[in-house]
Amino acid sequence: MQWRSIVVGLLVLRLALNCVLWLAFGLGPSWGFNFPIQFSFSLPRAEPEPGPGHGGAAAAAAAVRQAGWSRRLYERGGTTCSKISANTPKRSYLSFFEEGRDEYDRRFGSFPDALRVRMRSMAKDMFYFGYDNYMKYAFPEDELNPIACEGRGPDVLDPSNININDVLGNYSLTLIDTLDTLLVLGNVSEFHRAVKLVIDTVSFDKDSTVQVFEANIRILGSLISAHILLTDPRHPFGDIELENYDNELLHLAHDLAVRLLPAFENTGTGIPYPRVNLKSGVPPDSINETCTAGAGSLLVEFGILSRLIGDSTFEWVARRAVRALWNLRSNETGLLGNVVNIQTGQWVGKQSGLGAGMDSFYEYLLKSYILFGEKEDYRMFKAAYKSIQSHMRRGREACNEGEGDPPLYVNVNMFNGQIMNTWIDSLQAFFPGLQVLNGDVENAICLHAFYYAIWRRFGALPERYNWQLQAPDVLFYPLRPELVESTYLLYQATKNPFYLHVGMDILQSLEKNTKVKCGYATLHHVVDKSKEDRMESFFLSETCKYLYLLFDEDNPLHQSGSRYIFTTEGHVVPIDPRFREKSWEEQKGKQNLKIRCNMYTCLLQCERIPEERRYALPLKSMYMRQIDHMVGLS
């Protein structure tokens, strides 16, 4: 009988704990924000309710009807420890916008120029507080520990600490990652100083094992971006020519890319290993599993490098990896998983979503098409986007009209589209920005509102948020930029001042909740605002950059005729006609013609063909076919 009492006691304890968590995070007070996020879905797949859609940022703030799924869920008693009665109204996350039209216009319909200038200055000050302290206390190490005011490099004592070692390679990561941000802020003199420091002090001949994906987007992408901007004859940022510059940043980028190439060797699928040692190649104990985003988000940087130096190798290996992943998608749903075995092509992780392990794969399909004009990339993106809408999207058909909950994109099984869990992660907040690039602005508006609603509640985005429990699953926030990025792109698309108000809210939250003695620190816990002593490089490279650009109407990137795109690390790349050209194809054609001519001459001499028959068309064609076969050109 004693064991029965123990079991009952444990069950009661668990039930009580669930009640406390539910009341604290889901149904109780909103931690001082007075902004309830009550958003619940039933787990079975539901068909969206029909309803006409209409675009525009103002529509996102219009009155929202009662959430249908949520009401039905409550009527079925589908909650745990719920004290809500049958008559309790259920409100969706868009309840933030449920104020009258006049009240909405009063609060968000304008953004004074003086306030915009003040926010721009605040964003600039935020960047320089982090950057100056990095240069003072941390350089040449990779990152700044902003609480201890000291530098951070790889964890050499614990090589298995991939949370640190995947990113930090002992190559002044934060300085490199920040180069183009200095230009965006208009600081040409500091940009020149930083470029010279990189040229004089950075070497990739290191005994460092790093993640290929992180080295690509943070280091390779920044070196390429800074080189392009430095040598751009159009001078969008003014006269930034650096005396005696001899393409050293491009040479560094090439050197790094060559050191990453071993990841693509000796794999059964062409999908790269996740990590390489910069000095010795793939470690002998390397795992054979990698995530889809890590292996399939190399094409932008590798492709630009190939087209800059006229060597197809880098684009070829990156494109081969994308094609290999694409060919492994489900025949039923068209979806991909999040973790794959690079030798067998078997899916180890069958979850398909928009966040960690998947996010930038979709992003780079579209951005590769924009940059390189390869129709194959856009065909893949269109098919992927269609599958996402068909199998991940839940909610009513129209964002702002119709019955049922507003839209949300959930994590599903790649083979059948069934929901696998009830959380989303903060990386998914990039997707509204991608929807803007794809022209799907209305859906971008609605999805952005969901993430912003979570931000309003906590003053940050928890790494994972459980939309069923309406509570964080993983509580830290490492200063990620994705919500700011989507806010910036939505403002550029709509020019609705609402997004300036969102940016101001985010900026003030960061200043209030994350600023410490020497920089800005990761939030360990988004509720109690406890901190971790780390400022990742993307805070300066992306978060501060997008905040500044949001409020800087006169930035060169916003001038008429300027056409730029941002890499997944926020590095600025112009949409340049030269990236639509494959210089190696022209060179290869010339080389092949020379080979064919030389071999044809040799064959004529060896066969002792009579002079009068040497250039007879049928004979020449025959020999040319023979030569083509020999050199593999047919």
Side-chain angles (χ1 to χ4, degrees):
M1 296 299 294
Q2 185 176 6
W3 66 270
R4 293 182 180 177
S5 301
I6 294 173
V7 170
V8 170
L10 289 174
L11 288 174
V12 171
L13 180 62
R14 181 176 179 179
L15 188 62
L17 180 60
N18 284 341
C19 287
V20 170
L21 290 173
W22 182 263
L23 291 172
F25 294 115
L27 302 177
S30 186
W31 298 99
F33 288 100
N34 193 28
F35 179 57
I37 305 173
Q38 299 182 352
F39 191 91
S40 296
F41 286 118
S42 54
L43 288 177
R45 173 68 186 270
E47 293 300 320
E49 298 286 341
H54 58 278
V64 180
R65 295 187 183 183
Q66 185 76 11
W69 290 6
S70 302
R71 188 192 310 117
R72 291 195 294 270
L73 182 63
Y74 271 58
E75 288 172 354
R76 287 196 300 268
T79 56
T80 305
C81 297
S82 175
K83 296 183 179 180
I84 293 183
S85 68
N87 297 323
T88 302
K90 177 65 180 171
R91 302 170 68 197
S92 80
Y93 65 84
L94 288 181
S95 61
F96 174 63
F97 304 111
E98 282 184 347
E99 47 202 359
R101 180 76 251 175
D102 293 339
E103 176 64 16
Y104 169 78
D105 285 339
R106 185 187 68 79
R107 292 185 61 187
F108 304 116
S110 64
F111 201 89
D113 286 342
L115 183 58
R116 181 180 57 78
V117 171
R118 193 162 82 241
M119 290 301 102
R120 182 183 64 186
S121 177
M122 187 175 175
K124 178 184 284 190
D125 291 344
M126 176 177 286
F127 169 83
Y128 281 117
F129 186 68
Y131 175 80
D132 290 344
N133 280 303
Y134 165 77
M135 295 303 296
K136 180 178 180 180
Y137 296 108
F139 176 80
E141 294 193 69
D142 288 311
E143 286 181 350
L144 170 68
N145 288 345
I147 297 176
C149 300
E150 62 187 18
R152 178 200 292 266
D155 187 352
V156 295
L157 298 179
D158 183 9
S160 66
N161 185 2
I162 59 175
N163 181 49
I164 298 298
N165 294 330
D166 271 1
V167 178
L168 309 187
N170 194 22
Y171 39 33
S172 302
L173 169 64
T174 297
L175 176 64
I176 296 177
D177 209 3
T178 304
L179 289 176
D180 65 317
T181 310
L182 292 168
L183 272 187
V184 168
L185 269 63
N187 195 339
V188 176
S189 61
E190 183 62 22
F191 171 72
H192 282 167
R193 186 175 84 95
V195 168
K196 291 176 182 177
L197 279 173
V198 170
I199 293 172
D200 293 340
T201 66
V202 171
S203 169
F204 298 121
D205 189 25
K206 306 282 188 181
D207 185 19
S208 299
T209 298
V210 296
Q211 191 184 85
V212 175
F213 169 76
E214 295 289 359
N216 173 66
I217 66 170
R218 300 202 198 198
I219 300 292
L220 185 64
S222 185
L223 291 171
I224 291 171
S225 171
H227 166 77
I228 293 171
L229 296 175
L230 192 58
T231 58
D232 191 340
R234 295 170 297 181
H235 300 298
F237 293 98
D239 185 8
I240 62 170
E241 183 177 352
L242 180 61
E243 186 177 359
N244 298 322
Y245 178 70
D246 191 23
N247 300 324
E248 288 92 346
L249 296 181
L250 183 60
H251 297 323
L252 278 171
H254 187 198
D255 177 50
L256 176 60
V258 169
R259 295 174 186 274
L260 300 179
L261 279 181
F264 297 87
E265 300 172 2
N266 302 317
T267 77
T269 60
I271 301 171
Y273 285 92
R275 299 174 183 88
V276 296
N277 183 284
L278 296 177
K279 189 181 284 285
S280 60
V282 177
D285 60 346
S286 182
I287 62 174
N288 289 321
E289 297 172 3
T290 191
C291 69
T292 300
S297 305
L298 309 171
L299 187 51
V300 166
E301 291 83 1
F302 272 44
I304 294 174
L305 178 63
S306 278
R307 292 169 192 244
L308 284 175
I309 66 176
D311 183 348
S312 63
T313 303
F314 306 100
E315 180 172 342
W316 185 80
V317 295
R319 191 170 292 281
R320 181 181 62 167
V322 171
R323 288 170 177 160
L325 288 165
W326 185 249
N327 290 333
L328 294 174
R329 69 193 187 281
S330 167
N331 292 329
E332 296 296 323
T333 65
L335 299 174
L336 295 83
N338 59 344
V339 181
V340 67
N341 186 298
I342 66 173
Q343 303 296 352
T344 66
Q346 296 296 310
W347 289 106
V348 179
K350 300 176 178 62
Q351 175 178 300
S352 194
L354 301 179
M358 299 289 298
D359 50 354
S360 52
F361 176 79
Y362 306 118
E363 178 184 3
Y364 269 21
L365 290 179
L366 181 57
K367 290 184 176 179
S368 295
Y369 170 70
I370 293 172
L371 282 171
F372 306 133
E374 298 285 351
K375 294 181 180 179
E376 174 191 20
D377 297 333
Y378 191 51
R379 283 197 297 268
M380 287 189 286
F381 175 78
K382 284 198 301 182
Y385 195 75
K386 181 178 179 181
S387 296
I388 289 169
Q389 299 301 318
S390 298
H391 299 287
M392 296 184 200
R393 189 183 189 275
R394 299 294 193 272
R396 56 184 178 239
E397 183 175 344
C399 172
N400 299 311
E401 293 185 359
E403 295 297 323
D405 289 297
L408 178 66
Y409 293 81
V410 299
N411 299 319
V412 301
N413 185 297
M414 64 172 289
F415 293 110
N416 55 33
Q418 294 181 357
I419 295 178
M420 290 192 69
N421 50 58
T422 58
W423 52 260
I424 53 93
D425 64 57
S426 62
L427 289 171
Q428 292 178 341
F430 93 100
F431 198 68
L434 188 64
Q435 290 180 305
V436 169
L437 292 182
N438 191 43
D440 192 0
V441 177
E442 182 182 357
N443 273 313
I445 290 168
C446 225
L447 186 58
H448 174 274
F450 170 67
Y451 294 106
Y452 177 49
I454 300 173
W455 184 284
R456 279 295 300 268
R457 182 175 180 184
F458 299 106
L461 274 185
E463 191 71 354
R464 284 185 183 177
Y465 182 83
N466 192 309
W467 47 261
Q468 185 75 12
L469 297 178
Q470 302 157 39
D473 274 352
V474 179
L475 287 154
F476 73 90
Y477 167 65
L479 310 174
R480 292 200 188 278
E482 284 74 18
L483 179 61
V484 188
E485 175 187 7
S486 290
T487 303
Y488 165 69
L489 291 172
L490 270 165
Y491 178 68
Q492 290 301 309
T494 66
K495 293 300 180 182
N496 192 304
F498 168 74
Y499 295 106
L500 297 176
H501 287 274
V502 173
M504 180 172 68
D505 188 10
I506 293 173
L507 185 57
Q508 291 174 337
S509 296
L510 289 171
E511 192 72 15
K512 175 183 177 182
N513 298 325
T514 69
K515 189 174 184 178
V516 291
K517 182 178 180 181
C518 293
Y520 296 83
T522 292
L523 286 182
H524 176 74
H525 196 297
V526 297
V527 177
D528 66 24
K529 303 301 185 293
S530 57
K531 298 170 181 64
E532 297 178 16
D533 197 6
R534 187 177 187 185
M535 186 179 80
E536 293 219 37
S537 66
F538 53 64
F539 175 70
L540 299 180
S541 175
E542 298 185 80
T543 309
C544 292
K545 178 186 293 168
Y546 287 126
L547 282 169
Y548 180 81
L549 284 172
L550 177 63
F551 298 108
D552 187 25
E553 295 282 359
D554 300 323
N555 196 275
L557 295 183
H558 301 151
Q559 299 304 307
S560 177
S562 298
R563 301 176 67 215
Y564 293 88
I565 202 166
F566 296 93
T567 70
T568 195
E569 186 70 9
H571 296 305
V572 178
V573 177
I575 301 174
D576 195 318
R578 61 180 163 159
F579 298 149
R580 299 288 181 105
E581 300 171 358
K582 300 178 182 179
S583 57
W584 59 84
E585 288 189 349
E586 181 180 350
Q587 296 171 4
K588 181 179 179 181
K590 291 178 179 179
Q591 292 171 354
N592 289 338
L593 180 60
K594 184 177 180 180
I595 292 171
R596 293 171 68 181
C597 290
N598 289 340
M599 294 187 70
Y600 181 62
T601 302
C602 177
L603 284 172
L604 289 177
Q605 292 173 349
C606 294
E607 295 291 335
R608 290 186 173 87
I609 298 172
E611 184 74 25
E612 66 273 11
R613 294 186 58 196
R614 286 188 181 182
Y615 298 101
L617 185 60
L619 184 65
K620 184 176 180 180
S621 298
M622 178 184 71
Y623 278 106
M624 282 301 184
R625 285 196 297 272
Q626 182 180 353
I627 293 168
D628 286 349
H629 177 72
M630 291 170 63
V631 297
L633 300 175
S634 57

